[in-house]
Amino acid sequence: QEYERAVIFRLGRLRSGRAKGPGLFFVVPCIDNYRCVDLRTGAFDVPPQEILTRDSVTISVDAVVYYQVSNPLAAICNNDDYNRSTRLLAATTLRNVLGTRNLSEILS
């Protein structure tokens, strides 16, 4: 597909310096392994988070996150599962940022 890139591994090591695609690329069976990365914008819901604000009020907040992979090599080679990492980072950042605010600042 035009919006996918393939990161190719030969015997477990990264082959060449960049992701392949779109177009034809060759994979040697039993020696090469590849993982496809979708470059389209993805979206997911952050589950409701119970947050304690700076003025000690408990609120429940949920969010929607849009993300797009800009570097397929970093997405595959630098972490195990970039989708899961993005979800956890979004939830943690939401809690950290809103935990430093007063309820009146959050509502305005």
Side-chain angles (χ1 to χ4, degrees):
Q1 300 292 346
E2 211 171 298
Y3 48 82
E4 288 182 338
R5 300 293 182 266
V7 178
I8 301 174
F9 297 94
R10 176 162 287 169
L11 299 174
R13 292 184 180 253
L14 184 62
R15 181 174 168 232
S16 76
R18 60 187 180 95
K20 302 292 184 186
L24 284 177
F25 58 90
F26 297 101
V27 177
V28 179
C30 300
I31 294 178
D32 287 346
N33 186 11
Y34 71 94
R35 290 186 55 190
C36 285
V37 179
D38 193 356
L39 298 181
R40 294 179 293 181
T41 302
F44 61 85
D45 293 325
V46 176
Q49 304 286 317
E50 293 291 327
I51 300 170
L52 184 64
T53 61
R54 191 168 66 185
D55 53 354
S56 299
V57 177
T58 303
I59 59 173
S60 179
V61 177
D62 61 348
V64 176
V65 174
Y66 295 96
Y67 70 98
Q68 185 174 17
V69 175
S70 60
N71 187 352
L73 290 178
I76 296 296
C77 296
N78 291 350
N79 54 33
D80 188 33
D81 184 6
Y82 66 92
N83 284 324
R84 185 169 180 267
S85 298
T86 305
R87 290 174 192 269
L88 293 175
L89 181 64
T92 302
T93 304
L94 180 69
R95 282 194 307 268
N96 287 343
V97 169
L98 293 181
T100 61
R101 310 280 180 168
N102 291 331
L103 182 63
S104 60
E105 293 174 348
I106 294 172
L107 294 177
S108 63

